[in-house]
Amino acid sequence: MPDRPRKKRPTDMNLLAFQVVQEAVGEASEQADEPEKNPHAVALGRLGGQKGGVARAKKLSKKRRSEIASKAARTRWRNAKAHDGK
């Protein structure tokens, strides 16, 4: 089955009932509630995100990177044991 974008349903029961009736009758608006994103702002945000991890890694010392990695590994193992039911 193909993936389809899910529409968020309102939490207010009256708005939800109105939306269900509109969809059933076929009068539901096809417009998204969220405004379109500015493509230039999206590009700038993506560019900053791509640089972020590399820049942070360069700034940290080898010892500090090792400490962070060790802490992450301990947390992953702790969570894995918790999910195993032990």
Side-chain angles (χ1 to χ4, degrees), residues 36-48:
E36 291 290 321
K37 293 184 178 181
N38 181 342
H40 298 293
V42 171
L44 282 174
R46 178 172 160 70
L47 182 62

Side-chain angles (χ1 to χ4, degrees), residues 58-76:
K58 284 183 180 178
K59 185 175 78 170
L60 293 172
S61 69
K62 181 175 178 161
K63 182 180 178 187
R64 182 64 181 133
R65 283 196 313 268
S66 177
E67 290 171 355
I68 292 169
S70 297
K71 181 180 177 184
R74 281 193 306 270
T75 302
R76 280 195 304 272

Side-chain angles (χ1 to χ4, degrees), residues 18-38:
F18 177 75
Q19 184 177 1
V20 169
V21 171
Q22 291 296 315
E23 290 175 5
V25 176
E27 296 180 6
S29 65
E30 297 294 326
Q31 296 177 353
D33 293 335
E34 297 179 21
E36 291 290 321
K37 293 184 178 181
N38 181 342

